[in-house]
Amino acid sequence: MLPESEHAITSTDKTFLLLRKDIVEGVISSGSKLSETELSTNYSVSRAVIREAINRLESCHLVESKANVGARVVSISTEGLMELYQVREALEGMAARLAAINMTDDEIADLNTLLGTHFQTVKEGQTYYQEAGDLDFHYRIILGSKNSQLISILMDSIYHLIRMYRVQLGMSGPRVTTAFGEHKQIVQAISNRDAELAEMLMRRHILYSKNSLQLKLSGKLQAKMKAL
Amino acid sequence: MLPESEHAITSTDKTFLLLRKDIVEGVISSGSKLSETELSTNYSVSRAVIREAINRLESCHLVESKANVGARVVSISTEGLMELYQVREALEGMAARLAAINMTDDEIADLNTLLGTHFQTVKEGQTYYQEAGDLDFHYRIILGSKNSQLISILMDSIYHLIRMYRVQLGMSGPRVTTAFGEHKQIVQAISNRDAELAEMLMRRHILYSKNSLQLKLSGKLQAKMKAL
DNA sequence: TATCCCTATATTGTCGACAATTATGGTAAA
DNA sequence: TTTACCATAATTGTCGACAATATAGGGATA
């Protein structure tokens, strides 16, 4: 027998991943209708496969569908993004708390190493940190919570949603300058096994991101008004 | 046109609700396999309908399915229930915070009224408060948050899961005696528009429930050990 | 007896067709 | 011109059949 047989990947899985990618990256724009027949020809699979993929997208909150009418990609709004950040604040705050309790010493050491490499890239003025680095940091803490419910809600649903919002609203990654210091504080708290502080700092970190985002968005709005 | 055409209810919807009911109430026991052909004969619908219903159940975290193998009702464990309560603490804490900000004065008045009727039933020594009353209280605050993401995670997924756990583990409703006082404090905080306190009290309330539950479960475990 | 392999069976994945419902467009009446 | 209605077209919901995969059981070999 194979060492650890991973579960097989079906045609539906591939279609789901493709569709999600296209939605998150804006190839299929927000608010647009998802025609089953059209998609089945475009992606070269039967309607049954498309239907199942759409169902999964719906459970990720990426699309909304009405009976006998069809599915649409969720339409975005500033309020929607703010709602997401509130949920994220609550869940990732709890994740940081649990991570401070449940991460192994080795995992914490790795987290510190990661922070070190980020420090290097920041010092060298590279922009890499902006996207992937921030994600990596948050992922590790979420996984470090060891709470499977928490992990699945954040990783399967919320993160993809936020990424879609970011792309569609034309926002780049999170704030670059100040974020590193906040990350450092959080890792410090986790290293000290200070669960309460870790939660508090993580919540503040996400709240800052939310406020910064809101500021950018209102700026964009004003720019649009001016253009008229 | 009709005044407010609600979305139509399809055969899949009905089957999904039936299946969920049977799983949550233990008619289909936890850990058991969900055979598509068997269910399609039992519920008198095609396999396609069953498949879609199972997919929805999976997105509620009520069943787990592997490709080419099939779906099983999630198997329960004390750890799983504790994980759920941690997520609930984070999300309902945030819900209480947001409710203190976003509920209308009328909604808060209604909440106080509800608390009053609960006080009556408690004073009269009725057990009604145990189940439905507690749920009603929590639902109103969750809805009061006005955060659609938060609402959908809690109402569509977590609450059904917790109910399943309760039934399968043979637990009755939440603690009866002390809970009323905690509810009263929370409503007070919301009435005062004190968001931070509302969150803190709600989190403590859920933490107490969790601890009480854990105690009961370890007691049950000991009783089982004794029986051997 | 225990282990491995192969075959037969059962279950899930995918497909195309038909039924039910909704959206569309044109016609007639006000 | 606007509105209401009806017939047609298009889309989604449901079904049964076939293909692909996993499971179970028996027989051969060590």
Side-chain angles (χ1 to χ4, degrees), chain B:
Chain B
M1 188 188 279
L2 292 170
E4 266 301 325
S5 63
E6 294 294 323
H7 50 263
I9 290 180
T10 68
S11 173
T12 304
D13 293 328
K14 282 184 280 188
T15 308
F16 164 68
L17 293 173
L18 275 175
L19 262 173
R20 189 177 69 180
K21 185 166 173 289
D22 286 349
I23 289 174
V24 167
E25 297 184 354
V27 178
I28 302 174
S29 62
S30 111
S32 64
K33 186 163 192 322
L34 295 176
S35 162
E36 294 181 358
T37 50
E38 191 183 329
L39 290 174
S40 76
T41 56
N42 285 353
Y43 290 80
S44 308
V45 286
S46 78
R47 262 186 63 220
V49 171
I50 293 291
R51 277 180 72 85
E52 192 165 332
I54 287 180
N55 280 333
R56 290 199 211 169
L57 290 169
E58 194 178 359
S59 70
C60 300
H61 303 271
L62 281 168
V63 314
E64 290 170 340
S65 60
K66 284 186 219 166
N68 294 314
V69 176
R72 307 191 85 88
V73 180
V74 292
S75 38
I76 59 168
S77 66
T78 308
E79 295 77 38
L81 187 56
M82 295 300 109
E83 284 189 2
L84 269 177
Y85 266 78
Q86 286 168 343
V87 174
R88 205 185 146 197
E89 181 189 327
L91 289 179
E92 283 205 53
M94 178 60 78
R97 166 187 289 265
L98 296 174
I101 298 169
N102 295 330
M103 280 179 90
T104 66
D105 290 338
D106 285 349
E107 287 168 340
I108 294 179
D110 285 351
L111 193 60
N112 274 293
T113 308
L114 181 71
L115 203 69
T117 66
H118 286 173
F119 178 63
Q120 280 303 322
T121 58
V122 169
K123 214 170 67 175
E124 292 166 8
Q126 293 183 26
T127 55
Y128 164 82
Y129 185 52
Q130 241 184 336
E131 280 283 2
D134 186 71
L135 277 184
D136 203 3
F137 173 78
H138 283 276
Y139 283 173
R140 291 212 192 189
I141 291 175
I142 292 167
L143 292 175
S145 75
K146 309 284 174 76
N147 182 316
S148 60
Q149 292 287 332
L150 202 56
I151 292 170
S152 103
I153 297 175
L154 282 167
M155 302 290 252
D156 296 344
S157 170
I158 292 183
Y159 263 80
H160 297 286
L161 257 174
I162 287 181
R163 206 168 135 229
M164 184 191 77
Y165 267 94
R166 284 236 187 85
V167 172
Q168 300 263 342
L169 292 173
M171 320 300 297
S172 52
R175 306 155 296 136
V176 189
T177 47
T178 59
F180 175 75
E182 292 165 23
H183 285 191
K184 193 173 160 187
Q185 283 183 306
I186 293 169
V187 173
Q188 190 73 52
I190 291 177
S191 300
N192 293 338
R193 301 289 187 185
D194 188 337
E196 306 231 335
L197 185 59
E199 172 167 20
M200 198 176 296
L201 291 171
M202 179 62 88
R203 286 186 67 158
R204 206 167 66 174
H205 171 54
I206 292 171
L207 193 62
Y208 286 164
S209 303
K210 180 183 158 218
N211 291 337
S212 149
L213 215 54
Q214 197 166 26
L215 215 63
K216 277 195 207 173
L217 286 170
S218 68
K220 286 225 169 197
L221 196 64
Q222 284 193 330
K224 274 188 187 171
M225 300 287 263
K226 222 170 191 173
L228 297 181

Side-chain angles (χ1 to χ4, degrees), chain A residues 133-187:
Chain A
D134 186 71
L135 277 183
D136 203 4
F137 173 79
H138 283 276
Y139 283 174
R140 290 211 193 191
I141 291 175
I142 292 166
L143 292 174
S145 75
K146 310 285 173 74
N147 182 315
S148 59
Q149 292 285 334
L150 202 55
I151 292 170
S152 103
I153 297 175
L154 282 167
M155 302 289 252
D156 296 343
S157 170
I158 293 184
Y159 263 78
H160 296 286
L161 257 173
I162 287 181
R163 207 167 134 231
M164 183 191 78
Y165 267 95
R166 283 236 188 85
V167 172
Q168 301 261 343
L169 293 174
M171 320 299 296
S172 50
R175 304 157 296 136
V176 190
T177 46
T178 58
F180 175 75
E182 292 166 23
H183 285 189
K184 193 172 161 187
Q185 283 184 307
I186 294 169
V187 173

